[in-house]
Amino acid sequence: ADPPQASTIAIPPAARPGDPIEAVDTPSLILDLDAFEDNLRTMQVLAERHGVALRPHAKAHKCPEIAIRQVALGASGICCQKVSEAVPFVAAGVRDVLISNEVIGAPKLALLARLARQAHMSVCVDNVRAVEALSSMMVEYEATVNVLVDIDVGQKRCGVQTPEEAVSLARLVQKLPNISFVGVQAYHGGLQHKRSLDQRQKAADKTVRAIRGYLDAFARAQIECPVVSGGGTGTAAFDVASQVYTEIQAGTYAFMDTDYAAIDWGDALAFRHSLYLLGTVMSTPTPERAVVDLGLKSTSAESGAPRIADHPDLRCVAVHDEHCILLAGSRRSRPEVGTQLRLIPGHCDPTFNLHDCIVAVRGQHVEALWPISARGLSR
Ligand code: PLP
Ligand code: MN
């Protein structure tokens, strides 16, 4: 028998620029460029109208091609949640990155220091020993980094618990070498998805009052606090008008998902769905059931099953590893085998993290394939 040979079959790309959308192999993650560009402009214009910087969160998309477009439109830089996540963005030329998170442990601090020699890096702190470790690693690498004290304004995640703690941590940052105190991070994720516009506004106002308490304490201590970073898609309209935030960290606004589509937007701000999963009906075992060729390995489901775009009569009732089970309201509305469907994911961030690349589509044609280079970089 012939000896086993190494396979020479390369996996073809899901699509090529110029292809009609029907030619895209599935499952694929599709970005509708017209809607995406509208969303980028809407948020950028909103921020600029209020004199607030926009620092979009790149954990939403993990894609340098997207960050480059956000910065080109006027974003002051980007946020990343993890140090490793920042690496492909800095490599692609993004010059200003806030790690909107606490960074603990020598391997991460060393990587942060190396990045800080190539780009303006900022990082959040809420702990004395973490500040000391950050400073000494920066000294070792002859790097410098800006520091935001993370304040807990109600999310009950990370962050110092009192203004006194914030002031004393800021003083420590000011005292130690190679790190500079520049301000605070005040992010409250819990209120981003509050359904009612009115309740979201009230909750955002409460957060703003909490931030003011911290800013007063800094003023009394005669510590300048030029940066107040925070806010997300759900509260951005209030955050920019609050007079306390100097930069907004929203991420989802560029894409939207069913989670955010479900909240009440009033007529304050409108973002369009730009992100879709493209799937193909692979089986129609009963007159009402259609099975699509994508599941948990292509879409997040912790915020609910994906919604079927353009087909109000189709409902996703189960998400398996590699299948979505759809039920049609009537026999007439059940799609045939081979039909392509666009699905809207429940939550964009973990969905991007499942894909190697975005198929960027303009109208009915593929314009480009963008690598999701920070996919899986969660250290
Ligand atoms: N800032 C931080 C620290 C976050 O954790 C998040 C999202 O979870 C955001 C900003 C962006 O939020 P959104 O995608 O809801 O706009
Ligand atoms: Mn999210």
Side-chain angles (χ1 to χ4, degrees):
D2 288 341
Q5 282 200 335
S7 169
T8 53
I9 300 173
I11 309 247
R16 291 187 173 77
D19 280 352
I21 195 161
E22 304 82 61
V24 176
D25 197 12
T26 61
S28 279
L29 192 64
I30 299 287
L31 188 66
D32 175 339
L33 287 172
D34 290 332
F36 163 74
E37 289 165 5
D38 270 2
N39 291 343
L40 293 196
R41 277 190 295 267
T42 300
M43 189 63 97
Q44 189 65 44
V45 165
L46 176 78
E48 282 172 14
R49 192 168 357 112
H50 291 271
V52 173
L54 176 62
R55 181 187 283 283
H57 215 306
K59 81 180 173 69
H61 53 71
K62 290 178 168 277
C63 173
E65 290 283 349
I66 290 179
I68 285 165
R69 283 160 177 79
Q70 291 174 314
V71 170
L73 269 186
S76 61
I78 61 168
C79 298
C80 286
Q81 206 79 304
K82 298 301 188 86
V83 178
S84 67
E85 188 177 62
V87 170
F89 292 100
V90 170
V94 176
R95 301 265 53 98
D96 194 316
V97 182
L98 163 63
I99 309 296
S100 60
N101 211 352
E102 283 69 9
V103 174
I104 304 300
K108 293 174 179 53
L109 290 173
L111 184 57
L112 177 63
R114 291 169 63 199
L115 285 167
R117 292 172 59 100
Q118 295 186 6
H120 298 288
M121 299 298 295
S122 312
V123 63
C124 293
V125 299
D126 69 357
N127 175 277
V128 168
R129 284 170 61 187
V131 170
E132 291 165 351
L134 176 66
S135 171
S136 50
M137 191 64 86
M138 292 302 138
V139 169
E140 192 178 323
Y141 277 81
E142 296 178 23
T144 57
V145 71
N146 287 335
V147 173
L148 304 188
V149 171
D150 196 11
I151 63 178
D152 182 358
V153 287
Q155 180 171 30
K156 298 187 164 64
R157 188 163 70 184
C158 308
V160 300
Q161 298 296 303
T162 64
E164 295 68 37
E165 231 186 305
V167 165
S168 90
L169 210 51
R171 285 217 168 96
L172 178 64
V173 173
Q174 287 180 327
K175 205 179 77 190
L176 294 180
N178 294 47
I179 59 177
S180 309
F181 174 77
V182 296
V184 294
Q185 170 169 274
Y187 176 71
H188 193 331
L191 51 87
Q192 297 300 324
H193 291 85
K194 268 190 191 296
R195 255 163 213 245
S196 129
L197 187 68
D198 182 54
Q199 278 177 24
R200 214 157 64 248
Q201 164 100 65
K202 288 203 172 94
D205 290 347
K206 194 169 158 205
T207 301
V208 165
R209 284 196 296 279
I211 298 171
R212 287 221 169 87
Y214 281 87
L215 296 181
D216 290 346
F218 281 116
R220 282 196 302 277
Q222 294 186 317
I223 296 173
E224 272 196 69
C225 183
V227 177
V228 179
S229 190
T233 300
T235 57
F238 316 131
D239 299 332
V240 292
S242 69
Q243 316 266 18
V244 304
Y245 289 98
T246 64
E247 63 178 38
I248 301 300
Q249 302 182 348
T252 305
Y253 74 98
F255 316 104
M256 293 299 286
D257 48 31
T258 67
D259 220 9
Y260 261 127
I263 69 171
D264 173 15
W265 289 91
D267 46 21
L269 255 194
F271 298 105
R272 300 168 58 189
H273 285 293
S274 68
L275 187 71
Y276 300 92
L277 294 150
L278 197 67
T280 304
V281 175
M282 57 188 280
S283 171
T284 53
T286 76
E288 287 81 25
R289 191 192 313 159
V291 182
V292 178
D293 65 344
L294 67 88
L296 287 173
K297 293 181 185 176
S298 304
T299 181
S300 86
E302 90 293 345
S303 305
R307 201 177 78 218
I308 323 306
D310 324 310
H311 291 272
D313 205 34
L314 281 180
R315 208 158 44 87
C316 180
V317 293
V319 186
H320 300 182
D321 285 354
E322 306 283 7
H323 306 84
C324 276
I325 315 300
L326 311 189
L327 275 190
S330 73
R331 288 169 180 232
R332 264 193 314 128
S333 57
R334 195 214 61 200
E336 295 301 330
V337 165
T339 307
Q340 257 188 8
L341 293 174
R342 294 194 305 167
L343 282 70
I344 302 170
H347 187 186
C348 70
D349 312 46
T351 300
F352 271 104
N353 196 44
L354 295 169
H355 293 263
D356 291 324
C357 89
I358 300 171
V359 179
V361 169
R362 176 102 48 201
Q364 293 306 307
H365 288 88
V366 175
E367 189 166 297
L369 266 63
W370 292 343
I372 304 175
S373 313
R375 171 197 181 173
L377 298 180
S378 56
R379 284 193 282 142

